[in-house]
Amino acid sequence: MTEEVIRNLSVHGLSYSYRFLRQPDARTEPVLVLGGALQDKYGWQNLDAPVLAVASLISIDLPGSGDADPLRSDQGWEVMHDALEQVIDDLGITRINLFGYSFGSVLAFNFAQRHPDRIARLLLGAVPASTTDDKLELWRQAAAKMTAGELDGFLDLMLQLMLCHDETRTVRHRKLVHRYVKRLLARAITRTPHAFEVLDRSTEAINPTGALRGVPTLVFCGEHDNVSTPDRQRAFADAIEDSRFVCFTESDHWVALERAQEMTDLLLHFFTDQPLETADFTPDTTSHPGHPEPASA
C-alpha cells in the first residue's frame, strides 16, 4: 500500500496542511497539484492511482482552502507562494512537476515566475486568461445575490459563468457535470464560513501577466471554455518560452471532468517526457512567433 503522510505547517501565522503520497520507484519528479478556488487537498484523488504509477503526489490545503486558516484582509498571494515553497522544502525536494488548474493555474504560473529553479515542468489547465468584462459583470451579479442571502440565485449565476450552456455545442457529460459543480459550490458555500471570501479573492487571479523562461510548460483547455476562450489561453501560452498548447474538443471550463481520461493521459505523458502525439494529442509549439491554430484532442 502507498504511504500517505499528512503534515501540518504554519506560514505567516496561518495553519495549513499538505498530503503526500510517496512513490519510492518514481520515474519523474513529484507532482504537486493546485486545483480550483474551493478545492482542498482531497479534491483531485482521481489522480492518485495514475500519478503514483510514475511519481509521488502532493496536494495542499493552502490558506483559505480545506481545513486551513483563511487569509487575513492584509494578506495576499505572497502568503500562498511562501506556503508552496515551504511544502517543497519540508519534503526536502529540489524540483517538482507543478499542475495548476483554473484558479490554481494562476497560482502555479506566478510561483513558477518567482521560483523557476524549483519547477521541472509546468502544466496549466483552464487558465482564466484575459477574462472579459461581461464575465466580471456576471460575477458581480452573483456576489450581490450571495450578499442578499439568495443562494439559489448565486448558484445559477455561477453555473452560467463557469459552464457552457449553448446546446448547439457538444460537451461530454454535460448534465452530470452541471449537477456535480452545483453540488460542489453549494456544499462549499454552506459548510465553509469563508468560502465566499475565497471566491471573491479568486477574481484577483484573472488575467495572469508577465514572462516565464526556463520552465517547459504545457497549457490546455476545453474548446467551449466560458471563463476564458481558447484563443485567449493560446495567446497566454504564446508569451511563455518553451511552451505548448492543447485544446480539447467537446468540453468547457470543466474539461478535467468532461475529458478526465484524456487529461490524465496528457499529464502523464508531459511529466514523463513522452511524445504527446502518442497520446492522441497534437500540441502546438508556441515558442516561435505567431499564433497557430489550436490543436484538438
Side-chain angles (χ1 to χ4, degrees):
M1 293 181 65
T2 302
E3 176 190 4
E4 179 183 80
V5 176
I6 305 294
R7 287 271 291 166
N8 297 308
L9 300 175
S10 177
V11 62
H12 296 280
L14 304 177
S15 65
Y16 71 106
S17 63
Y18 70 87
R19 174 178 180 252
F20 179 60
L21 300 176
R22 186 184 304 277
Q23 169 50 270
D25 300 316
R27 291 162 44 196
T28 185
E29 290 84 352
V31 174
L32 193 155
V33 180
L34 298 173
L38 294 176
Q39 291 181 316
D40 60 19
K41 61 180 177 283
Y42 295 106
W44 288 81
Q45 287 182 283
N46 61 301
L47 292 180
D48 286 3
V51 169
L52 285 171
V54 300
S56 298
L57 180 64
I58 310 162
S59 57
I60 311 178
D61 275 355
L62 286 169
S65 67
D67 295 326
D69 291 337
L71 289 169
R72 298 191 299 269
S73 60
D74 62 329
Q75 294 177 317
W77 302 114
E78 71 280 354
V79 174
M80 288 187 278
H81 295 147
D82 290 346
L84 283 173
E85 186 175 23
Q86 185 171 268
V87 168
I88 300 171
D89 290 340
D90 190 62
L91 286 166
I93 297 171
T94 302
R95 297 198 306 168
I96 59 169
N97 289 310
L98 184 55
F99 170 39
Y101 190 85
S102 191
F103 167 77
S105 71
V106 181
L107 181 58
F109 175 69
N110 290 340
F111 183 80
Q113 287 178 307
R114 293 181 177 219
H115 304 285
D117 58 312
R118 308 302 298 266
I119 311 301
R121 301 165 196 81
L122 180 64
L123 180 65
L124 304 174
V127 182
S130 190
T131 302
T132 59
D133 289 341
D134 63 316
K135 299 302 178 187
L136 291 176
E137 176 57 27
L138 265 179
W139 166 249
R140 285 189 285 267
Q141 292 176 20
K145 292 288 187 183
M146 192 63 201
T147 302
E150 300 177 22
L151 178 60
D152 287 341
F154 169 77
L155 293 174
D156 288 343
L157 287 169
M158 287 298 294
L159 292 177
Q160 184 178 342
L161 173 66
M162 300 171 68
L163 296 162
C164 175
H165 293 267
D166 185 347
E167 294 292 340
T168 66
R169 299 182 176 186
T170 301
V171 175
R172 297 190 188 183
H173 316 299
R174 171 181 266 131
K175 293 183 179 179
L176 181 63
V177 170
H178 283 209
R179 289 196 299 270
Y180 174 81
V181 174
K182 185 173 184 177
R183 187 167 63 250
L184 173 70
L185 287 173
R187 184 186 301 116
I189 287 294
T190 55
R191 294 186 181 182
T192 306
H194 54 273
F196 181 69
E197 287 75 12
V198 171
L199 284 173
D200 197 27
R201 273 181 177 267
S202 71
T203 62
E204 301 171 13
I206 61 173
N207 307 336
T209 59
L212 176 62
R213 297 180 178 87
V215 179
T217 302
L218 176 61
V219 178
F220 72 91
C221 68
E223 65 173 338
H224 305 309
D225 194 326
N226 262 20
V227 176
S228 186
T229 58
D231 61 322
R232 293 172 183 267
Q233 295 190 56
R234 183 184 55 188
F236 164 76
D238 283 347
I240 301 173
E241 183 184 82
D242 189 19
S243 70
R244 286 174 285 180
F245 177 77
V246 166
C247 181
F248 286 91
T249 58
E250 299 182 354
S251 55
D252 57 23
H253 190 69
W254 288 83
V255 59
L257 294 177
E258 296 146 356
R259 303 294 300 271
Q261 184 59 58
E262 294 90 342
M263 187 212 72
T264 301
D265 289 345
L266 180 71
L267 179 152
L268 294 175
H269 277 72
F270 178 61
F271 284 156
T272 56
D273 295 326
Q274 297 181 62
L276 300 186
E277 289 80 0
T278 64
D280 297 325
F281 307 114
T282 310
D284 290 330
T285 300
T286 59
S287 55
H288 58 76
H291 299 269
E293 289 302 309
S296 295

